[in-house]
Amino acid sequence: MTVEEFKLPDVGEGVAEGELVSWLVAPGDRVEEDQPVAEVETDKALVEVPSSYDGVVEELFAEEGEMVPVGDVIISFRVDEDGEAAAGDDAEAEPEPEPDSPDESASEPTTEAADAEPDTPAGRTFAPPSARRLARELGVDVAAVDGSGPGGRVTEADVRAHAEGDAGAADAGGPDDGPEPRPAPTPTDTGSDGRKSAVSKRGADDGSADAPATPAGGPDPAGRETTLATPATRKAARDRDVDIDDVPTDQTRDGEAFVTAEAVNAYADALESPASTPEPEPVETDAGTEPAVTAGDASETSAPASGDETVPYRGVRRTIGKQMERSKFTAPHVTHHDTAEVDALVEAREELKPKAEAEGVKLTYMPFVMKAIVAGLKEYPYLNSELREDDEEIVLKSEYNLGIAVATDAGLMVPVVENVDEKGLFELADAVNDLASRARERKLKPAEMQGGTFSITNFGAIGGEYATPIINYPETAILGLGAIEERPVVRDHADVASEFLDDSDDSTVVPAPTLPLSLSIDHRVVDGAVAAEFANTVMEHLENPLLLLNE
């Protein structure tokens, strides 16, 4: 039986890191090869990470909400020599909060993996994910560190001491003054013994290891060296700005303190109560008496006001921002606006809807628009192109892959419908509905959002007529659709019912369904006249749907 470590794979082209959104397994769970073990949000999509082994989950090395670089170890499995689950493991066994407990050290085998740690006298190295992560950051072999925690467990302080060349300082006393102090914590360290936290405690002095852990009147911090907790509980602690080692608890697992999410929330609520927030002591200044400003206050001068909410700027939202910034600062945008009169389109859709429903397809206007766009792209190929600045060339694409912008809870996603010119209206409707549904459920694969040659955004579905859409770079154009509504249009007498006729002129104003169009182009590649001609071709096909039969 061996313990195999599994690294975060490259889950998409150009992806360097991902946020571990949730674990789908726990220590002690039996998994099969290709079974999803975690959900990871990259800067492209939310993807499931499958296991490469048949075995039993040994240890989780990352916490929910943590940003993990591609190639970092995130989980380990117990497998036998043939890759099967270790014999004797019960498939129904209850997941253990900490599978590498001291009781298992005598019977566990040596880890055999490409990047495995060397053997220790007990056969394995016991260290929580945070200590292992710190060891990787400091370039320390965690197996060579003498653990001072219960059962020889390696703590973060042990890792730091080893990195400073003082691995034995925690256990060996000095000749005169007793134990040698541990290395001073860095500005990101909080609490006692230099433990590292992703957030600073309330009121903590970034430069002092002796800063009070909690405000006066608040609950006393437990100040433990190690704490057992599920990844979800640790995420709750981060969300509440709490050091999990300080949360009081009466529960234990394998002889160590075990903290639940309820205990974290109760402790955080006690910290935030008015009684636990004393007023700063006044100090005398030349200008009079002013409240004292502590180091903690100074570090939070730019913090959000009370009641404000902060949301991490990463994942899909960060990708949208970077993509929009790149597009806007790279391609000079020009937007052309026009309006199509779509009486015939509305009638054609109404006639086809019953047949589409009989085939289980929801027919919207989007497939008609996609076909009209393809007609325009065939006639004006520069709108279906890519400018490659480094090579000083414009690539006219031979494929017609249209991206459809979809609003989701995580932000705007643009799944791509490939080979639109080769699909019928019902086939396109089915493809768009499927992609849009899976985009909202965060189930798209990264490959399904790549390879687009032209994009469409339908802001009219929410409300609105015109906009200035930002090009989905490196494409050269994007078409925005307004809402199809009845608006006043001017018609010749021959095209108007008798009740609308006005004998005073040869034309009259009548209500008719119209579709506003907003076409943004990269003016380096497409001239304004070409954009207008393209829009005219699209409108011609929308106003005469029979022309779409040729596409």
Side-chain angles (χ1 to χ4, degrees), residues 403-453:
I404 311 298
V406 179
T408 73
D409 292 340
L412 201 65
M413 295 188 180
V414 188
V416 175
V417 181
E418 298 181 342
N419 303 317
V420 174
D421 57 320
E422 300 176 3
K423 294 179 169 66
L425 289 175
F426 290 2
E427 191 176 359
L428 287 175
D430 191 52
V432 170
N433 293 335
D434 173 62
L435 289 170
S437 175
R438 289 192 289 115
R440 296 186 183 98
E441 295 172 358
R442 307 296 306 281
K443 293 182 179 180
L444 285 177
K445 299 177 181 178
E448 293 177 310
M449 293 186 289
Q450 298 173 357
T453 62

Side-chain angles (χ1 to χ4, degrees), residues 79-99:
V79 299
D80 66 14
E81 297 297 337
D82 297 325
E84 299 296 332
D89 288 319
D90 185 0
E92 301 298 326
E94 180 180 353
E96 300 174 3
E98 191 72 19

Side-chain angles (χ1 to χ4, degrees), residues 196-268:
K196 184 178 181 182
S197 173
V199 294
S200 298
K201 292 183 183 177
R202 299 173 179 81
D205 186 342
D206 290 346
S208 172
D210 296 324
T214 59
D220 293 331
R224 291 180 298 275
E225 186 66 37
T226 58
T227 300
L228 300 184
T230 64
T233 299
R234 295 185 184 277
K235 183 177 185 300
R238 291 195 303 274
D239 292 343
R240 299 300 301 272
D241 197 8
V242 166
D243 188 335
I244 200 167
D245 290 339
D246 288 343
V247 178
T249 182
D250 295 327
Q251 299 187 41
T252 59
R253 295 284 179 87
D254 298 324
E256 294 191 19
F258 180 77
V259 169
T260 64
E262 291 75 13
V264 168
N265 290 326
Y267 181 72

Side-chain angles (χ1 to χ4, degrees), residues 170-203:
D171 299 321
D176 300 316
D177 301 325
E180 183 178 341
R182 296 182 184 272
T186 65
T188 56
D189 298 334
T190 61
S192 59
D193 297 329
R195 288 191 302 276
K196 184 178 181 182
S197 173
V199 294
S200 298
K201 292 183 183 177
R202 299 173 179 81

